[in-house]
Amino acid sequence: MDTQTTQGVQVTVTTNYLPDYSSPGQQHYVFAYKINIQNNSEFTVKLLRRYWQIFDSNGTVREVEGEGVVGQQPTLEPGESHQYVSGCNLKTGIGKMTGFYTMERLVDGREFKVEIPEFVLIVPYKLN
C-alpha cells in the first residue's frame, strides 16, 4: 500500500496482478489498482482531471490524461472518501505508475494538484 497527502487530500493505492487476464508468453501482463481518495482538508473538493505516467521495465513510457476517474468527477466534503478500481496492462512483468489529480476547492474555485504516490506493478513470481 502506498499513500501520499497533498493539501489535506490523501491518496492510497493498492495493486494486484491479474493472472487470469494476462498472457506472459505474449508479453501481456494485467494489473488492477484500487485508489482511495480521502479528503482530510477543511474544504469541499471536486476531482476534475487525472494524469498518469505508466513506466514499463522495457523503457516504454505512456501518458494518460482525461476528465475524472472511471467516468466520475466525485465531490468530497471534509472527511469523505471516494474509492475506485481501474487497471493497467504492461508488456513486461515489472513497471510502475505515478501521476496526479487536478482538484478544485469549491469555496473559491481554486484548482490544485494532488500527487498520486508512485507505485510498483510487479508479477509476484518476479519477487523471488
Side-chain angles (χ1 to χ4, degrees):
M1 182 178 342
D2 297 287
T3 300
Q4 186 161 345
T5 301
T6 308
Q7 296 189 40
V9 179
Q10 179 179 299
V11 179
T12 303
V13 183
T14 55
T15 63
N16 289 305
Y17 173 59
L18 303 176
D20 292 345
Y21 297 95
S22 300
S23 300
Q26 296 175 322
Q27 298 180 325
H28 184 74
Y29 301 85
V30 180
F31 298 87
Y33 55 90
K34 180 178 178 182
I35 304 270
N36 184 65
I37 303 166
Q38 174 77 36
N39 183 8
N40 295 323
S41 79
E42 59 189 69
F43 303 102
T44 301
V45 298
K46 181 177 182 177
L47 191 154
L48 301 176
R49 300 187 61 77
R50 73 193 179 292
Y51 171 82
W52 290 106
Q53 284 187 314
I54 304 166
F55 300 86
D56 214 317
S57 63
N58 65 4
T60 303
V61 179
R62 291 179 284 158
E63 295 182 59
V64 177
E65 58 183 317
E67 289 188 359
V69 290
V70 293
Q72 299 180 358
Q73 291 182 305
T75 297
L76 301 173
E77 300 285 338
E80 289 186 335
S81 64
H82 177 78
Q83 289 186 8
Y84 71 94
V85 176
S86 192
C88 174
N89 61 304
L90 300 175
K91 291 192 179 293
T92 64
I94 301 173
K96 65 182 179 179
M97 292 177 64
T98 188
F100 61 85
Y101 299 118
T102 301
M103 308 284 279
E104 176 186 13
R105 275 187 359 182
L106 295 187
V107 67
D108 59 9
R110 194 177 124 243
E111 291 185 9
F112 62 101
K113 290 182 178 164
V114 172
E115 298 295 324
I116 301 168
E118 181 177 281
F119 56 95
V120 175
L121 302 166
I122 186 164
V123 175
Y125 61 79
K126 296 275 187 184
L127 293 171
N128 294 331

